[in-house]
Each structure stands twice: as C-alpha cells, then as structure tokens.
Amino acid sequence: IVQNAHAFDPRAPMTTDLRPAVDGLFDELEAKGVDYVLVGGVALLSYIEGRNTQDIDLIVSAGDLAKLPWDAKAQDADFARATYRGVRVDLLLRSNALFDEVARTARTTVPFQGRPVVTATREGLLLLKLYALPSLYRTANLARAALYETDVLMLHQGATVDDGALLERLRPHLPGHDITELRRILDEQRTRTRFT
C-alpha cells in the first residue's frame, strides 16, 4: 500500500521497492527496544480493505526518539516527523495523554509481512480518528477530514463498537461541543441509508 501510494503519486519522484525499508524500520524498532504502536493507514489495513497511505504512523515516547538515528524533527509538542530509507514516518508522541492512553490500553499484535507488529486496536484507531476530526475541520483540511470520516465509517463495518464508550474516553481530551459534534457524525453514519 505504501509502495503503491509512492509509485503513483504524480507530485513525487518515482521510487524503488519500499518493502525492504519498511521491514528494516520494524527490525530497527525491535533491535533498539522501542515501545511503539503502529497507527494510521497501514494499521487500518488490519481491519479494512482499500486504504492507501504514503507514510508509516507510530505512537512512540519522545525519549525513544534518541535511540533511533532517524533525525526526527518535532512538529509541535504532540508530533514529530522523520524519514527512514525514503519512507516518511509520522510520530505521535506519548506526551499527548490520548496517544499515551491508546498506546497503553488499545494495542494488539498482528502479522505484518510475516512478522508480529504491535498495532492499535480497532477502538484505538477510532479514538485517534475521532480525536483528529475537530482540528481538521477547524483548519479547513476538508479532504483529510472526509478521509478520516470514511475511515471511521469503515472501521465500524462488520464490528460491534460502543460509540458512547468511545466518546466517554475522548471526553477528557476534547471540549464538550466537540464531543457533541462527534456524536452527531457517528449518529449520522449509523442511520445513513442510500438507494432504499
């Protein structure tokens, strides 16, 4: 998925096979003893089909960044970005209380390219997507907001998810009016019907 996104992005130069880089990234995380959780588009593939991405997203501790020679650059208090052998790596830092909660309580291990990879659970991914939506709308990043809403919809497919429990977990991290709007989005998705 990452390879195809890179290969067919008309704005980016053509790339070579990225699979060795992705394998090497996980090898290095394990070798250095970095506690990570895979999130984002690649993690979504454990639960849904057809998601494309151009990067690897990980939750890590800011202290673990020093263990890796990735030359990570802080974006702000919650995010950093690095490049590993041509693959962009977006880092969600555990100094953010929600990211830390997901890393501690919403993780599982899934097979990835024949290896076990620590990945966020379905509920963990939903928490992260819902948490990001208000900010995306406020900054008028509508294309990404639409993608995240679609991710939320797809993560609900074929699964029993307690939306009320998710919103309660988000309540300490977002203002009340954001929780109200997220509830409206979830309710709309649950009751949406087409071509009836």
Side-chain angles (χ1 to χ4, degrees), residues 62 73-81 91-93 95-96 99 135:
K73 304 277 190 255
Q75 305 295 302
D76 58 34
D78 297 332
F79 299 97
R81 180 168 286 161
L91 303 160
L92 289 71
L93 304 178
S95 51
N96 176 293
F99 300 165
S135 175

Side-chain angles (χ1 to χ4, degrees), residues 84-105:
Y84 180 82
R85 296 187 194 171
V87 177
R88 191 176 89 198
V89 183
D90 287 338
L91 303 160
L92 289 71
L93 304 178
R94 290 183 70 165
S95 51
N96 176 293
L98 180 68
F99 300 165
D100 184 60
E101 180 181 338
V102 169
R104 284 184 296 103
T105 67

Side-chain angles (χ1 to χ4, degrees), residues 2 5-6 39-42 53-57 81 87-90 144:
V2 174
H6 276 267
V39 296
V42 176
T53 188
Q54 294 186 352
D55 58 15
I56 302 290
D57 300 277
R81 180 168 286 161
V87 177
R88 191 176 89 198
V89 183
D90 287 338
R144 194 168 187 118

Side-chain angles (χ1 to χ4, degrees), residues 3 16-25 87 113:
Q3 174 64 38
T16 58
D17 189 351
L18 297 176
R19 286 173 288 199
V22 174
D23 281 340
L25 180 140
V87 177
Q113 299 272 347

Side-chain angles (χ1 to χ4, degrees), residues 35-40 43 58-60 92-94 96-108 118-131 166 169-170 173:
D35 182 27
Y36 72 91
V37 179
L38 178 68
V39 296
L58 302 170
I59 299 176
V60 297
L92 289 71
L93 304 178
R94 290 183 70 165
N96 176 293
L98 180 68
F99 300 165
D100 184 60
E101 180 181 338
V102 169
R104 284 184 296 103
T105 67
R107 62 194 288 155
T108 187
V118 179
T119 305
T121 63
R122 181 183 304 266
E123 289 77 11
L125 292 171
L126 281 164
L127 286 168
L128 294 171
K129 296 294 180 179
L130 291 168
Y131 176 73
L166 287 176
R169 288 180 73 179
L170 286 170
H173 309 287

